Amino acid sequence: MASNLTKFIHSLDPRTLPRVLQIQSGIYFQGSVYEMFGNECCLPTGELIKVTGFKVNKIIASICESNEDNQCSARIDLPLSFPGLCKIVADKTPYLSIEEITRKVSIGPTRLGHPCFYCNEDVKLANLTIKQGEQIMFNSVEEVNGTLTVNCGVVRDNQFHSFTLPLSQEGEFYECEDDHIYTLKEIVEWKIPKSRNRIVKFTNMLHSWDSSNPLPENFDGCLILAPIYEVQGVMKFRRDIVHILSDLDIEVIDVTDCYDISSFLQPLSMEDVFERTSKEFPMVAEVIEGPTGRQQPYNLLYPGKEIVIHKKYQAKRILASEIRSDSLKKHFLIPASYKGKFKRRPREFLTAYDLEIARSDKEQLHVVATKAFDSPHAELFSVSVGDQFLVQQCQTGEVIYQGRKKVIDVLACEQILNEAYKEVLLPMYMEGGFVEVIHDKRQYQLSELCKEFRLPFNVKVSVRDLSIEEDVLAAMPGLQLEEEITDSYLLISSAGDPADSWEIPVYRLNMSVQLLSKPVDETVSSPTRTIVEEISEEQYYMVRRFENQTLHPPPRPPKKPTTLESKPLLTVPERSGSDAPHAVKVGHFFYYISFGICLRYFTIWEHLCASPPMC
């Protein structure tokens, strides 16, 4: 039976892709042309489209005049990047079976994918009875002995009890109230059920209201969110990928069972290619949809270009960020083959604990105080702005407090006087400000920096890489080399010149190819050409998330004793330069938080991570 495209996509289960659709009727007549996202897309009646994927393109929001009858005002377009945090209003329409819940609600491995429901009557299982109104958490969907079941759990007396529910379980299941706070993007990805709208209430806009905000000033009501999808697919007799918005006024019918899906173009993403076995390489492919960008080799990967994909492998990169105080900093992945040279740049430290982390056995750390600290104990040193120190080591020291000796952690340093050195002790809880004094004028290769110094490390390009046309790193006033990561790459070359090979990233390159049945000359390529890759903010957080998920965070800085209050005598004015001090005590903790929270507190994260912790 025919249905409009919006209704079909809203009810489509991504696990059943690809699907073949036939255009039945709509605003497009035979021979009409519609251009979307730079692609001309003919949609005559009877046309066949193989849908290969879909994603949310934007959100249509309506302001609720009343939560009871859900009366709505005019529609508002909201971008996925719309700033603000919101809470979910529980859906009052029940789900009539577990199968309906799994079909319409996103269930996944993260907290965002653990929805909670309750039933209006008792649910009796073999060894457990779920009481009426008891909150059930849905954790995952698994196949057991050929039968799909849902792994669930309930909390009783602070104990979590696990059990499974079959998809055939019927009843009236209602969504539980959710006290969590989400970004609009998280709502879109996890919290809008199929074939249903979602009502949300914004709790914080994160940014002050301005005339560009589509919502009324001081808005604190509810919104009904309806997603508009971008449908990706291929047509029967075309060799490109088309993009169609789901709100186009056309009717379609699913004819997947009537057609051979393999007769359509078979576009593969870079992830699809990477999942092939190593024995299948090398392979010849034609670019169907190429990446954007003027940088080589991206400008050479245009639609219709034939390439050879030689192999897949893992390669190391240095993750680096531009040193600046605002949130507009750029991020880069630098290959080991980069031939530019670097000079060191001073680092800034905000606590004595940071000095202890940064010190090295190869080189004594020399710092200048930029903030005063008045010690509450005679045994510990009071710091003045301009004092210079050579950092020695961490140790314990005794102080007299209320007539009793107390042992605390201290940092042993040598204060540099005019012609002498004085041994002093700084408390590890000291909140001060120090800037590094660089005596080293040497120029380093990237491999030397990674070998001789502990990351993160501040540098500036002193000699650009002359082997590349435009060295983007040379234009940066300063870079922080944060850590070494391992990422997935494909080695490719032009089919006409297989010896000239390039590395391309698998997970950050939006490109589709069609494999060709052509022989491959396994030519031994010349040295692989690599590029300095500039990555987006979201890609940066993804890289850090996956790289650090198996690592343990550094120990927290020691807490300042509540009875040992410091009294700063003098502070220097806050600097506006790229190394201006910022509160970073909790930076050690936020350094390893999950990606979802990173995105949620994007503005806060940027402020805290202006000077990432030493690890």
Side-chain angles (χ1 to χ4, degrees), residues 222-237:
C222 293
L223 293 176
I224 295 183
L225 305 182
I228 301 299
Y229 294 91
E230 177 187 311
V231 182
Q232 177 179 290
V234 293
M235 292 189 168
K236 182 72 172 179
F237 302 107

Side-chain angles (χ1 to χ4, degrees), residues 39 163 247 272 328 380 511 606 614:
N39 295 320
F163 59 94
D247 60 346
D272 295 331
L328 301 177
L380 305 179
M511 184 173 80
E606 276 299 305
M614 303 295 176

Side-chain angles (χ1 to χ4, degrees), residues 75-335:
R75 305 197 312 174
I76 301 170
D77 284 7
L78 290 182
L80 297 183
S81 58
F82 183 77
L85 304 176
C86 47
K87 294 181 66 175
I88 290 174
V89 177
D91 191 348
K92 297 180 180 179
T93 303
Y95 294 84
L96 302 181
S97 68
I98 299 300
E99 185 274 334
E100 184 184 4
I101 293 177
T102 61
R103 181 163 38 89
K104 295 183 177 181
V105 178
S106 297
I107 301 174
T110 68
R111 178 186 65 82
L112 295 173
H114 293 167
C116 294
F117 295 86
Y118 68 89
C119 189
N120 64 348
E121 58 184 22
D122 290 353
V123 178
K124 296 182 179 180
L125 305 175
N127 55 355
L128 184 69
T129 298
I130 308 303
K131 299 177 182 177
Q132 175 184 353
E134 190 170 17
Q135 180 170 298
I136 307 170
M137 178 182 289
F138 286 56
N139 295 320
S140 63
V141 179
E142 291 185 2
E143 183 175 344
V144 179
N145 298 326
T147 303
L148 286 177
T149 60
V150 181
N151 292 322
C152 303
V154 294
V155 177
R156 293 177 178 174
D157 300 326
N158 296 322
Q159 295 290 324
F160 188 81
H161 301 272
S162 298
F163 59 94
T164 61
L165 286 175
L167 268 60
S168 58
Q169 179 72 48
E170 295 182 346
E172 291 189 359
F173 294 90
Y174 292 85
E175 190 176 47
C176 295
E177 295 291 338
D178 190 345
D179 293 329
H180 291 100
I181 296 176
Y182 304 94
T183 64
L184 184 61
K185 185 173 182 180
E186 289 172 336
I187 295 286
V188 167
E189 292 178 348
W190 290 96
K191 299 300 180 181
I192 300 184
K194 289 287 184 183
S195 303
R196 300 193 184 198
N197 294 329
R198 168 60 73 194
I199 301 178
V200 300
K201 181 179 178 62
F202 277 93
T203 61
N204 184 359
M205 289 298 182
L206 287 184
H207 297 283
S208 59
W209 186 93
D210 57 38
S211 58
S212 64
N213 193 323
L215 298 177
E217 188 172 4
N218 300 321
F219 174 74
D220 63 352
C222 293
L223 293 176
I224 295 183
L225 305 182
I228 301 299
Y229 294 91
E230 177 187 311
V231 182
Q232 177 179 290
V234 293
M235 292 189 168
K236 182 72 172 179
F237 302 107
R238 295 186 57 160
R239 296 191 63 78
D240 58 355
I241 296 175
V242 296
H243 303 268
I244 308 169
L245 291 181
S246 62
D247 60 346
L248 295 182
D249 188 17
I250 58 176
E251 290 193 347
V252 298
I253 187 171
D254 191 335
V255 294
T256 305
D257 296 336
C258 303
Y259 286 88
D260 180 9
I261 290 182
S262 62
S263 64
F264 287 80
L265 185 71
Q266 304 289 327
L268 299 176
S269 67
M270 294 300 95
E271 292 94 327
D272 295 331
V273 174
F274 192 80
E275 289 176 0
R276 298 282 178 127
T277 63
S278 298
K279 294 181 180 180
E280 297 180 69
F281 294 89
M283 58 184 68
V284 180
E286 178 186 344
V287 177
I288 302 301
E289 189 173 55
T292 58
R294 297 176 298 174
Q295 186 181 25
Q296 285 189 323
Y298 302 153
N299 60 344
L300 305 177
L301 300 175
Y302 50 83
K305 175 77 171 181
E306 289 191 8
I307 61 174
V308 177
I309 306 176
H310 296 274
K311 62 179 179 178
K312 65 175 185 177
Y313 55 93
Q314 304 285 317
K316 294 187 180 298
R317 292 290 189 270
I318 298 298
L319 179 63
S321 295
E322 179 184 10
I323 299 176
R324 58 188 298 171
S325 58
D326 57 33
S327 61
L328 301 177
K329 64 176 66 176
K330 297 180 179 181
H331 307 285
F332 304 93
L333 290 175
I334 310 174

Side-chain angles (χ1 to χ4, degrees), residues 519-532:
V520 183
D521 182 13
E522 297 189 32
T523 305
V524 178
S525 61
S526 58
T528 301
R529 291 207 270 176
T530 57
I531 62 171
V532 174

Side-chain angles (χ1 to χ4, degrees), residues 222-459:
C222 293
L223 293 176
I224 295 183
L225 305 182
I228 301 299
Y229 294 91
E230 177 187 311
V231 182
Q232 177 179 290
V234 293
M235 292 189 168
K236 182 72 172 179
F237 302 107
R238 295 186 57 160
R239 296 191 63 78
D240 58 355
I241 296 175
V242 296
H243 303 268
I244 308 169
L245 291 181
S246 62
D247 60 346
L248 295 182
D249 188 17
I250 58 176
E251 290 193 347
V252 298
I253 187 171
D254 191 335
V255 294
T256 305
D257 296 336
C258 303
Y259 286 88
D260 180 9
I261 290 182
S262 62
S263 64
F264 287 80
L265 185 71
Q266 304 289 327
L268 299 176
S269 67
M270 294 300 95
E271 292 94 327
D272 295 331
V273 174
F274 192 80
E275 289 176 0
R276 298 282 178 127
T277 63
S278 298
K279 294 181 180 180
E280 297 180 69
F281 294 89
M283 58 184 68
V284 180
E286 178 186 344
V287 177
I288 302 301
E289 189 173 55
T292 58
R294 297 176 298 174
Q295 186 181 25
Q296 285 189 323
Y298 302 153
N299 60 344
L300 305 177
L301 300 175
Y302 50 83
K305 175 77 171 181
E306 289 191 8
I307 61 174
V308 177
I309 306 176
H310 296 274
K311 62 179 179 178
K312 65 175 185 177
Y313 55 93
Q314 304 285 317
K316 294 187 180 298
R317 292 290 189 270
I318 298 298
L319 179 63
S321 295
E322 179 184 10
I323 299 176
R324 58 188 298 171
S325 58
D326 57 33
S327 61
L328 301 177
K329 64 176 66 176
K330 297 180 179 181
H331 307 285
F332 304 93
L333 290 175
I334 310 174
S337 59
Y338 178 76
K339 297 180 176 61
K341 292 187 177 182
F342 300 89
K343 280 189 175 181
R344 296 171 58 180
R345 276 203 57 178
R347 294 170 287 177
E348 289 210 357
F349 310 99
L350 304 181
T351 66
Y353 180 79
D354 292 321
L355 296 178
E356 162 61 17
I357 294 178
R359 71 181 183 87
S360 169
D361 295 333
K362 294 183 178 180
E363 178 186 51
Q364 197 161 34
L365 182 59
H366 179 189
V367 296
V368 177
T370 59
K371 184 177 180 180
F373 170 77
D374 185 19
S375 173
H377 301 282
E379 298 87 352
L380 305 179
F381 189 71
S382 294
V383 177
S384 299
V385 174
D387 285 348
Q388 298 190 48
F389 302 94
L390 296 177
V391 179
Q392 301 296 329
Q393 62 183 4
C394 176
Q395 61 187 53
T396 57
E398 291 185 346
V399 296
I400 303 298
Y401 172 67
Q402 294 183 349
R404 296 183 179 181
K405 290 184 178 181
K406 184 178 180 68
V407 177
I408 64 172
D409 291 330
V410 295
L411 185 65
C413 300
E414 287 185 344
Q415 183 189 13
I416 302 176
L417 304 175
N418 289 335
E419 296 183 358
Y421 296 91
K422 176 184 177 182
E423 293 186 357
V424 298
L425 299 177
L426 304 179
M428 292 291 283
Y429 62 79
M430 170 186 170
E431 299 178 16
F434 303 92
V435 63
E436 183 180 19
V437 179
I438 300 293
H439 301 282
D440 184 4
K441 305 301 180 184
R442 178 184 165 191
Q443 297 185 118
Y444 291 88
Q445 297 282 357
L446 183 63
S447 57
E448 295 174 325
L449 286 172
C450 297
K451 182 179 179 180
E452 297 185 24
F453 302 100
R454 179 186 299 176
L455 301 182
F457 202 73
N458 293 356
V459 296

